[in-house]
């Protein structure tokens, strides 16, 4: 309504034009309608339409809506003792009006655009066959606290709080005007805010503890101190208040190391320590970790799936990360039923997704991710491994890639290739234990063909020697 | 006609003295006109004089001073010397020629001459109006800053009259041109009316349209200070006065003069000035709102032709004092309640409970309580449920969370003290969100004991939910009253299984209002539910059987609202047929019809002592009715749009009303005056609720927010930003902050949920209900 107001106040020429009246007249067989009559009729029609709309707006207001619907128009027409227009009701969503293509012979006659409702063509056969009619659930209600003693709780049901401008310190230097500088300043400000929060919420003892703990964990310290710090994390009670900061610290640490990606010794050691800290936190029974799981998982998965971990630490790091992941999943998947499927999905994507680095020559890099993915799947369980390697065709893809790279014989990637093969074979062992007395498979049997098809030539060659194992991996009992 | 301007202001302006001297001039004019053969003019003038016999009677006795006579004759002599000019010119020129006369004479004379002459001119030349309005607008905008807010209101009625006259005379194109060139400056404040006028394009429309007829038949009242009025008269007569010297070019020309006389004609025929002695600076904008507009038909009892200026205050004070105190309670019920309370105190061993007595509920000071005889008739004896209700009322009073929003004023809300103050001043709000609502839910309500929630839907049904998760079990259909002996035998007659939700089907149109009966108060679940619908019926539903018991028919049009009287038994409805009605549950026809509103009655609310009924209407006013006599006793004018919601304070002193102008007005019922205007909402306000102590007002609306207002603070525009001091409210949204008044103490946004209903429990917990909209359909 209000939109319509603004328009007509501005234009004021009327939306219903005499030409339209003449068109209608022609359609009912009156060919000689004089201009003055048409103009008067157009004015009158417009007045009547506005009357109906004003009436309909009342119904809209009383229905506590802000969109005028066809039902409002029908109600208005009924109230004004006019027969309602049938055929437009029933839709909550306003009908999709489409703009018609302009008629060529009507150009230049002052016609505005014509709108119409497009009807879909319905294929009855298809509708009858599909029979996908579901009954809606009906209206339901949910209650939540909009405010508790005048403070709006930050729960998902409430919209996020609007940040107040006054909180940010005024920028003093004039040079900060440029966009680049402002962008640089933002993280700084955030950090400042973070520190302020720490000071406000935490007791001085805890702040001191936090500073000491983080300092003693990071590399330039001796082993004894680090072990003591980890032990403290693992067993001390009363660290709940520090948990958000610790989690954040770990997350930022991992991101910093991985982003630089130098692959040096010290980076590997840092990552190791951070992973140890994560597992220590998870082991601490006094901590309530669940609200922070969504912050703990990204560093774990990043470490697991990162393409280029420091080569000296890579396998150890991935092993630690996957075991920690396994721990998280076993402890918390009962309370978060969606946790396992979500992580499985991420890992499967990493395993099967097309390697982005394939074209830029870093062939070895994507292997790292895949090793991590397979290890992660192993941490989740047998089913996940089967899904990834056998059903999803992960082994076949990997085998093909491995074969391709075997040929180029690059020295640097040899290590990772072997590691990948090892990991895959380990995963296969996890699926089904290899038999003590391997019995070769008949290469011409249908099982061998299936094996070839599922895991690919590369791994099929390695499995074909043990019939029972191969069949176990395929998920079938050996035929003989 | 001619006498109106000065006489209307007569009560307090010097014009009074001049008014008596105006009549001899009239006589002179009449004679003159007769001699010149202006038969029409003679008739018109004598008509006007005839309507005011008291003045004419007086005039016959007053003698004309020789000096005046001389002056008067001089003019006519001058005119007579130019017989060649046509009569139209004469009358329009009269403005200049009469300058030598004393102002009041000029006005009257000029008006009588000008109106007739200008009419004829305008029938030939519609451009006059364009010119006249342009002159007026530039004069108003060029006036001194102190006068400008005072002059601006005059533009709107003159614009409307010019437009209507053009349409009436069939100058459609000229009318459209006039509208498009001048409506833009007026659009922000008068959008709704302008839009309505813009749809009138043919003379027949003007004849049939209600608003247009009101404009033509009633006087548009404008409040003006004495000095401002003097300037306006000066401009109308001489083309000077005020500061619009720059626009003088138009005035020297012929068109300018004719345009000005067109303006003057409207001023004389259709405007009425409420001239105050107060200086312009002391008048706030809210006073302009209250005293400007087509008031005479809004205020009952003031006929269209009466000479007095219609003022809501005059009407309200003429209706005498109101009995706003709490309703009396019978001695037996009081004694029984106290006895039960004492028993409970002994049994419960609750240390606080021993002080529970009925006398703790003290009446607010300074209010007259009604006698039992004043109340609408109620059942003479009380029942168990009455005792339970009263007992619970006393307990609620003790256990209530005290809300003192005034504690928020002096503290910085970000500090630790601020948190404590917020906890003391602001309520806890529990939001009930409806999901998967089909075509929308126009209404929702909570039962007084908050065990049930009901919502009416656009699909014509009503849904009930148990908020406690209990099963809603109906009584069996085939029960015989003989088999019921006690409560256990009754519970056996209930259906074995039930659900926590019930659907009530019966209406044949969208359900616009639902209300639970208040009889059992917060002590027990209600027994009945009322619903009002677009099918023009009000239905009563039994909550024992979950069936429709009665359909009350009587309204001719959709019923917008239905509300129970605080004591039960009676209820009131408001409808599109412009009436509010009073019903009792045991009769199918209505008991009283409250007629007087000029448009739909959109909302109704009872006063807590059920003596009075407040109604809010689409004619932009709220009224207070004497329930028993059926007369209007207060009228509240000040909203600039349709009223959407009302709330009565539990202490009986205040009425809060929300309108489509996005403002909430707080009215003092006793005096009928507006206490303050609260703004801050950015879309329609759907519901208002007072806290149990009447200290806090909560509102919810289409802008997806629940807002809390401090009732006791003085309000006013927020100047914090300009002063550079800290903000008062910490919950500032992204909306424009300038129009939020300072008494808005908190804003709680929701996620895409327009708030249909806000409700305070007797213990001051706030409940809000809304419909989640889902994603944007666009």
């Amino acid at each position: 309504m209000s939109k319509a107001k603004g328009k007509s106040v501005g234009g004021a020429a009327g939306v219903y034009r005499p030409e339209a009246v003449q068109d209608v007249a022609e359609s009912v067989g009156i060919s000689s309608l004089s201009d003055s009559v048409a103009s008067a009729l157009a004015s009158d029609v417009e007045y009547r339409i506005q009357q109906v709309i004003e009436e309909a707006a009342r119904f809209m207001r009383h229905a506590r809506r802000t969109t005028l619907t066809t039902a409002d128009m029908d109600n208005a027409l009924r109230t004004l003792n006019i027969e309602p227009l049938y055929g437009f009701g029933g839709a909550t969503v306003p009908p999709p009006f489409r703009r018609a293509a302009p008629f060529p012979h009507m150009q230049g006659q002052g016609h505005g655009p014509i709108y119409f409702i497009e009807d879909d063509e319905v294929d009855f056969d298809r509708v009858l066959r599909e029979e996908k009619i579901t009954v809606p659930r009906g209206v339901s209600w949910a209650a939540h606290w909009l405010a508790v003693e005048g403070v709006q709780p930050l729960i998902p049901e409430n919209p996020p709080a609007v940040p107040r401008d006054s909180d940010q310190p005024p920028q003093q230097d004039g040079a900060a005007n440029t966009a680049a500088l402002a962008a640089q300043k933002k993280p700084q400000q955030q950090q400042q805010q973070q520190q302020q929060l720490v000071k406000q919420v935490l007791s001085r003892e805890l702040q001191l503890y936090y500073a000491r703990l983080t300092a003693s964990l990071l590399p330039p310290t001796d082993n004894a101190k680090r072990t003591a710090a980890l032990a403290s994390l693992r067993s001390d009670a009363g660290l709940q208040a520090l948990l958000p900061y610790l989690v954040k610290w770990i997350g930022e640490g991992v991101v910093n190391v991985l982003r630089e990606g130098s692959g040096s010794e010290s980076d590997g050691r840092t990552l190791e320590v951070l992973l140890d800290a994560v597992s220590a936190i998870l082991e601490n029974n006094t901590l309530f970790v669940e609200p922070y799981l969504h912050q703990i998982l990204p560093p774990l998965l990043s470490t697991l799936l990162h393409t280029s971990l420091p080569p000296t630490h890579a396998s150890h790091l991935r092993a630690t990360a996957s075991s920690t992941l396994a721990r998280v999943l076993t402890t918390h998947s009962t309370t978060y039923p969606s946790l396992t499927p979500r992580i499985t999905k991420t890992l499967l994507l990493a395993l099967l997704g097309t390697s982005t680095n394939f074209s830029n020559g870093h062939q070895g890099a994507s292997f790292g991710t895949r090793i991590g993915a397979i290890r992660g799947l192993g941490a989740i369980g047998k089913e996940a491994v089967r899904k990834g390697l056998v059903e999803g065709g992960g082994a076949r893809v990997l085998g093909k890639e491995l074969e391709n790279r075997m040929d180029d014989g690059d020295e640097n990637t040899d290590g990772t290739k072997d590691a990948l093969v090892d990991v895959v074979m380990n995963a296969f062992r996890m699926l089904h234990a290899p038999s003590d007395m391997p019995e070769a498979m008949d290469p011409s049997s249908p099982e061998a063909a299936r094996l070839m098809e599922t895991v690919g030539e590369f791994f099929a060659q390695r499995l074909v020697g043990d019939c029972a194992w191969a069949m176990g991996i395929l998920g079938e009992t050996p035929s003989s | 006609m001619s006498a109106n301007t000065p006489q209307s202001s007569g009560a307090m302006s010097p014009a009074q003295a001049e008014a008596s001297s105006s009549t001899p001039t009239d006589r002179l004019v009449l004679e003159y006109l007769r001699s010149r053969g202006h038969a029409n003019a003679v008739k018109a003038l004598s008509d006007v004089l005839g309507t005011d016999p008291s003045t004419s009677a007086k005039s016959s006795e007053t003698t004309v001073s020789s000096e005046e006579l001389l002056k008067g004759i001089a003019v006519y002599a001058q005119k007579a010397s130019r017989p060649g000019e046509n009569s139209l010119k004469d009358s329009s020129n009269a403005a200049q020629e009469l300058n030598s006369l004393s102002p009041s004479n000029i006005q009257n004379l000029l008006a009588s001459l000008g109106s007739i002459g200008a009419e004829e001119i305008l029938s030939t030349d519609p451009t006059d109006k364009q010119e006249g309005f342009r002159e007026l607008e530039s004069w108003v905008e060029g006036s001194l800053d102190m006068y400008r807010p005072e002059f601006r209101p005059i533009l709107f009625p003159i614009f409307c009259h010019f437009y209507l006259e053009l349409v009436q005379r069939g100058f459609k194109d000229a009318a459209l041109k006039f509208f498009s060139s001048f409506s833009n400056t007026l659009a922000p404040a008068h959008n709704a009316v302008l839009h309505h006028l813009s749809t009138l394009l043919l003379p027949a429309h003007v004849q049939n349209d209600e608003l247009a007829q009101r404009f033509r038949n009633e006087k548009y009242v404008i409040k003006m200070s004495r000095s401002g009025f003097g300037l306006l008269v000066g401009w109308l007569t001489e083309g000077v006065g005020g500061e619009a010297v720059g626009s003088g070019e138009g005035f020297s020309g012929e068109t300018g003069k004719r345009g000005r006389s067109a303006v003057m004609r409207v001023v004389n025929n259709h405007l009425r000035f409420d001239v105050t002695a107060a200086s312009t600076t002391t008048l706030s904008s809210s006073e302009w709102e209250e005293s400007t507009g087509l008031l005479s038909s809004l205020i009952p009892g003031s006929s269209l032709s009466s000479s007095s200026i219609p003022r809501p205050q005059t009407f309200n004070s003429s209706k005498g004092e109101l009995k706003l105190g709490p309703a009396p309670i019978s001695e037996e019920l009081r004694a029984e309640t106290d006895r039960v309370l004492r028993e409970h105190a002994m049994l419960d061993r609750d240390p606080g409970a021993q002080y529970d007595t009925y006398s703790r509920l003290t009446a607010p000071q300074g209010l007259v309580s009604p006698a039992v005889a004043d109340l609408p008739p109620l059942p003479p004896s009380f029942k168990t449920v009455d005792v339970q209700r009263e007992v619970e009322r006393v307990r609620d009073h003790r256990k209530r969370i005290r809300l003192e929003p005034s504690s928020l004023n002096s503290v910085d809300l970000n500090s630790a003290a601020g948190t404590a103050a917020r906890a003391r001043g602001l309520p806890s709000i529990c939001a009930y969100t409806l999901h998967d609502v089909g075509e929308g839910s126009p209404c929702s309500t909570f039962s007084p004991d908050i065990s049930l929630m009901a919502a009416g839907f656009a699909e014509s049904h009503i849904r009930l939910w148990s908020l406690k998760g209990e099963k809603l079990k109906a009584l069996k259909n085939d029960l015989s009253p003989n088999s019921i002996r006690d409560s256990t035998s009754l519970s056996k007659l209930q259906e074995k299984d039930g659900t926590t939700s019930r659907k009530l089907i019966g209406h044949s149109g969208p359900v616009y209002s639902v209300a639970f009966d208040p009889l059992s108060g917060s002590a027990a679940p209600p027994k009945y539910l009322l619903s009002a619908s677009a099918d023009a019926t009000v239905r009563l539903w039994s909550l024992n059987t979950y069936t429709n018991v009665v359909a009350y028919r009587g309204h001719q049009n959709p019923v917008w609202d239905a509300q129970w009287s605080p004591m039960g038994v009676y209820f009131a409805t408001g409808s599109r047929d412009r009436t509010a009605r009073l019903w009792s549950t045991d009769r199918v026809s209505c008991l009283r019809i409250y007629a007087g509103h000029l448009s739909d009655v959109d909302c109704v609310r009872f006063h807590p002592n059920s003596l009075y009924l407040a109604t809010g209407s689409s004619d932009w006013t709220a009224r207070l009715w004497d329930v028993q006599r059926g007369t209007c006793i207060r009228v509240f004018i000040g909203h600039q749009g349709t009223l959407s919601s009302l709330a009565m304070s539990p202490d009986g002193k205040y009425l809060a009303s929300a309108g489509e102008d996005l403002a909430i007005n707080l009215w003092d019922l006793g005096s009928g005056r507006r206490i303050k205007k609260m703004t801050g909402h950015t879309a329609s306000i759907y519901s208002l609720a007072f806290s149990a102590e009447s200290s806090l007002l909560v509102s919810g609306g289409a802008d997806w927010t629940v807002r809390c207002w401090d009732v006791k603070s003085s309000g006013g525009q927020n100047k914090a930003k300009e002063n550079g001091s800290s903000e008062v409210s910490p919950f500032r949204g992204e909306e424009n902050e300038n129009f939020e008044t300072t008494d808005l103490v908190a804003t709680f946004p929701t996620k895409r949920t327009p708030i249909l209903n806000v409700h305070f429990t007797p213990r001051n917990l706030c409940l809000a209900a809304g419909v989640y909209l889902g994603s944007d359909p666009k």
Side-chain angles (χ1 to χ4, degrees), chain A residues 233-297:
Chain A
L233 260 186
R234 199 168 291 129
S235 53
D236 276 358
L239 299 183
Q240 185 67 44
L242 277 181
L243 189 55
Y245 305 103
L246 284 172
V247 168
K248 196 166 189 296
W249 174 72
I250 290 168
E252 279 172 359
V254 169
V255 166
N256 279 339
V257 170
L258 293 184
R259 191 167 45 196
E260 284 160 19
S262 58
S264 69
E265 281 279 309
S266 66
D267 282 345
R269 233 174 290 139
T270 315
L271 277 178
E272 228 170 87
V273 170
L274 290 172
L275 284 178
D276 283 346
V278 171
S279 55
I281 288 172
L282 289 169
E283 278 169 45
N284 192 335
N285 289 328
T286 58
L287 289 179
F288 180 54
V289 192
E290 269 170 30
Y292 304 100
L293 277 185
H294 66 282
Q295 280 176 296
I296 291 179
L297 283 173

Side-chain angles (χ1 to χ4, degrees), chain A residues 413-435:
Chain A
T413 55
D414 276 354
T416 33
K417 266 184 272 184
D418 292 344
L420 181 56
V421 174
D422 278 351
V423 166
V424 174
M425 292 316 281
N426 273 337
F428 281 146
R429 267 175 218 117
M430 187 183 161
L431 280 181
H432 194 271
S435 27

Side-chain angles (χ1 to χ4, degrees), chain A residues 12-83:
Chain A
V15 287
Y16 207 76
R17 293 176 177 281
E19 292 86 5
V21 174
Q22 273 164 341
D23 288 348
V24 173
E26 275 172 27
S27 74
V28 296
I30 304 165
S31 53
S32 57
L33 194 71
S34 73
D35 282 351
S36 60
V37 172
S39 155
L41 271 177
S43 300
D44 201 51
V45 166
E46 189 163 344
Y47 174 63
R48 304 295 162 195
I49 290 175
Q50 297 281 3
Q51 260 187 327
V52 174
I53 291 175
E54 274 182 26
E55 197 62 48
R58 285 183 189 175
F59 281 90
M60 176 194 78
R61 267 205 322 272
H62 283 282
R64 306 302 196 207
R65 267 187 279 109
T66 45
T67 322
L68 196 73
T69 65
T70 48
D72 293 328
M73 295 300 263
D74 279 354
N75 278 330
L77 288 171
R78 263 190 212 108
T79 311
L80 296 170
N81 218 1
I82 307 169
E83 192 179 359

Side-chain angles (χ1 to χ4, degrees), chain A residues 1 3 5 8-9 12 39-40 43-44 47-48 50 54-55 58-59 61-66 75 79 90 92 137-152 156-159 162 164, chain B residues 172 176 183 191 195-196 199-200 202 205 209 414 422-423 426-439 442 465 512 557-558 560 576 599-600 602 642 660 686 706 730-731 748-751 756:
Chain A
M1 174 88 188
K3 281 173 202 160
K5 267 182 232 163
S8 69
V9 166
S39 155
S43 300
D44 201 51
Y47 174 63
R48 304 295 162 195
Q50 297 281 3
E54 274 182 26
E55 197 62 48
R58 285 183 189 175
F59 281 90
R61 267 205 322 272
H62 283 282
R64 306 302 196 207
R65 267 187 279 109
T66 45
N75 278 330
T79 311
T92 331
R137 263 184 62 211
V139 188
S140 58
W141 60 272
H144 73 271
W145 287 106
L146 187 63
V148 176
E149 298 191 331
V151 182
Q152 188 158 27
E157 285 88 349
N158 286 328
V162 181
R164 270 172 291 154
Chain B
K172 188 175 126 190
L176 285 174
S183 64
N191 207 342
H195 174 68
H196 185 87
T199 65
L200 308 174
L202 297 178
H205 298 162
D209 190 77
N414 296 326
R422 216 183 279 158
L426 293 172
S428 297
I429 305 172
C430 189
Y432 291 84
T433 313
L434 298 180
H435 295 275
D436 305 325
V437 174
E439 296 206 13
W465 289 276
Y512 290 123
N557 283 129
W560 297 135
R576 190 193 165 273
S599 190
D600 310 19
D602 293 303
T642 299
E660 291 295 318
Y686 290 153
V706 174
F731 301 102
F748 302 110
T750 65
K751 270 187 178 171
L756 295 177

Side-chain angles (χ1 to χ4, degrees), chain B residues 10-283:
Chain B
M12 47 212 333
S13 77
Q16 190 183 23
E18 294 158 3
S20 59
S21 69
S22 71
T23 42
T25 329
D26 287 335
R27 219 172 39 215
L28 280 175
V29 174
L30 271 175
E31 279 167 20
Y32 164 72
L33 289 173
R34 215 171 275 133
S35 70
R36 300 274 299 174
H38 294 298
N40 289 343
V42 173
K43 193 167 168 290
L45 188 55
S46 52
D47 278 351
V48 171
L49 294 176
T51 59
D52 206 344
S54 63
T55 332
S56 54
K58 212 174 14 168
S59 70
S60 59
E61 280 140 34
T62 46
T63 51
V64 183
S65 74
S66 59
E67 194 182 279
E68 253 181 53
L69 190 65
L70 199 68
K71 272 188 192 167
I73 290 168
V75 177
Y76 308 128
Q78 201 183 347
K79 272 183 108 164
S81 69
R82 288 184 287 166
E85 286 194 38
N86 66 39
S87 56
L88 305 179
K89 279 271 176 62
D90 278 356
S91 47
S92 62
N93 284 347
Q96 284 197 329
E97 290 164 5
L98 293 179
N99 283 348
S100 54
L101 283 177
S102 69
S104 74
N105 289 0
I106 291 169
Q107 248 187 316
N108 295 311
L109 187 61
L110 217 131
S112 60
L113 289 171
S115 68
I116 292 134
E119 215 157 41
E120 290 170 55
I121 293 167
L122 287 164
S123 63
T124 58
D125 186 9
T127 55
D128 273 8
K129 300 213 160 54
Q130 188 114 9
E131 188 65 22
F133 195 78
R134 196 183 61 74
E135 298 290 354
L136 182 67
E137 198 173 29
S138 60
W139 176 71
V140 167
E141 292 308 317
S143 59
L144 284 177
D145 279 352
M146 61 179 291
Y147 288 118
R148 208 177 296 145
E150 192 173 349
F151 289 146
R152 278 212 179 111
I154 205 177
L155 288 174
F156 175 64
I158 289 179
F159 173 88
C160 294
H161 278 288
F162 278 5
Y163 179 79
L164 288 175
E165 258 170 56
L166 286 173
V167 173
Q168 174 106 53
R169 295 184 187 287
F171 300 116
K172 188 175 126 190
D173 295 332
L176 285 174
K177 184 160 174 269
F178 178 71
F179 192 90
S180 62
S181 45
F182 294 114
S183 64
N184 288 335
T185 50
L186 299 167
H190 304 280
N191 207 342
V193 175
L194 284 180
H195 174 68
H196 185 87
L197 289 182
S198 75
T199 65
L200 308 174
L201 292 172
L202 297 178
H205 298 162
V206 176
Q207 288 299 332
N208 296 326
D209 190 77
E210 200 177 337
L211 185 73
Q213 284 307 307
R214 273 182 71 196
F215 260 107
R216 293 188 77 80
N217 295 334
E218 293 173 24
K219 301 273 181 186
Y220 192 99
V221 179
I222 289 173
K223 195 163 187 147
M224 208 169 256
S225 72
R226 197 185 302 164
S227 51
F229 182 63
L231 285 172
L232 179 68
V233 170
W235 178 78
L236 284 172
T237 49
E238 297 167 40
V240 290
E243 300 296 307
V245 192
S247 62
E249 190 267 322
F251 285 96
S252 56
E254 196 63 20
T255 51
K257 263 178 276 170
R258 279 186 300 173
R260 188 147 45 88
S261 68
V263 172
M264 186 149 56
R265 203 173 64 84
V266 172
V267 167
N268 277 312
N269 288 353
H270 299 294
L271 300 192
R272 176 171 284 177
F273 290 92
D274 181 359
V275 180
T276 63
S279 80
T280 45
T281 46
T282 57
L283 287 169

Side-chain angles (χ1 to χ4, degrees), chain A residues 54-343:
Chain A
E54 274 182 26
E55 197 62 48
R58 285 183 189 175
F59 281 90
M60 176 194 78
R61 267 205 322 272
H62 283 282
R64 306 302 196 207
R65 267 187 279 109
T66 45
T67 322
L68 196 73
T69 65
T70 48
D72 293 328
M73 295 300 263
D74 279 354
N75 278 330
L77 288 171
R78 263 190 212 108
T79 311
L80 296 170
N81 218 1
I82 307 169
E83 192 179 359
L85 300 164
Y86 295 104
F88 295 100
T92 331
V93 184
F97 283 99
R98 275 172 49 97
R99 194 170 170 154
F103 295 112
H105 68 276
M106 284 175 131
Q107 288 287 324
Q109 287 183 24
H111 278 282
I114 297 171
Y115 293 87
F116 67 101
I117 301 175
E118 199 174 38
D119 282 331
D120 290 341
E121 274 184 27
V122 178
D123 181 8
F124 273 112
D125 280 346
R126 196 170 50 80
V127 171
L128 291 174
R129 229 180 312 121
E130 286 182 353
E131 280 184 24
K132 265 187 172 176
I133 300 159
T134 50
V135 180
R137 263 184 62 211
V139 188
S140 58
W141 60 272
H144 73 271
W145 287 106
L146 187 63
V148 176
E149 298 191 331
V151 182
Q152 188 158 27
L154 293 174
I155 49 176
E157 285 88 349
N158 286 328
V162 181
R164 270 172 291 154
D165 304 337
S166 53
D167 277 356
Q168 286 172 3
Q171 300 192 337
Q172 276 133 5
D173 48 342
N177 289 339
T178 58
L181 270 178
Q184 268 187 348
K185 262 190 109 91
K186 229 172 185 177
Q188 277 179 11
Q189 279 179 356
Q190 276 176 351
Q191 238 165 17
Q192 278 173 8
Q193 258 180 347
Q194 176 80 20
Q195 280 164 3
Q196 275 172 359
L197 281 174
V198 171
K199 271 172 200 158
Q200 279 167 8
V201 178
L202 294 179
S203 66
R204 275 193 57 193
E205 291 79 7
L206 276 179
Q207 286 177 48
L208 208 62
Y209 175 83
Y210 176 78
R212 288 275 168 83
L213 184 79
T214 48
S216 57
L217 278 174
L218 284 181
T221 52
D222 54 316
N223 249 337
K225 244 187 180 176
R226 190 179 306 148
T227 321
L230 285 173
S232 158
L233 260 186
R234 199 168 291 129
S235 53
D236 276 358
L239 299 183
Q240 185 67 44
L242 277 181
L243 189 55
Y245 305 103
L246 284 172
V247 168
K248 196 166 189 296
W249 174 72
I250 290 168
E252 279 172 359
V254 169
V255 166
N256 279 339
V257 170
L258 293 184
R259 191 167 45 196
E260 284 160 19
S262 58
S264 69
E265 281 279 309
S266 66
D267 282 345
R269 233 174 290 139
T270 315
L271 277 178
E272 228 170 87
V273 170
L274 290 172
L275 284 178
D276 283 346
V278 171
S279 55
I281 288 172
L282 289 169
E283 278 169 45
N284 192 335
N285 289 328
T286 58
L287 289 179
F288 180 54
V289 192
E290 269 170 30
Y292 304 100
L293 277 185
H294 66 282
Q295 280 176 296
I296 291 179
L297 283 173
L300 274 183
L301 289 176
S302 315
T303 322
L304 194 59
L305 299 180
H306 197 260
T307 49
S308 58
L309 288 174
T312 43
H313 290 76
S315 70
H316 177 68
L317 278 176
R318 290 197 212 274
T320 321
S322 65
S323 69
T324 317
L325 187 65
R327 188 188 180 80
V328 170
L329 289 174
T330 45
T331 4
H332 299 288
S333 58
T334 44
T335 38
Y336 278 100
S338 65
L339 194 63
T340 316
R342 260 169 51 202
I343 290 172

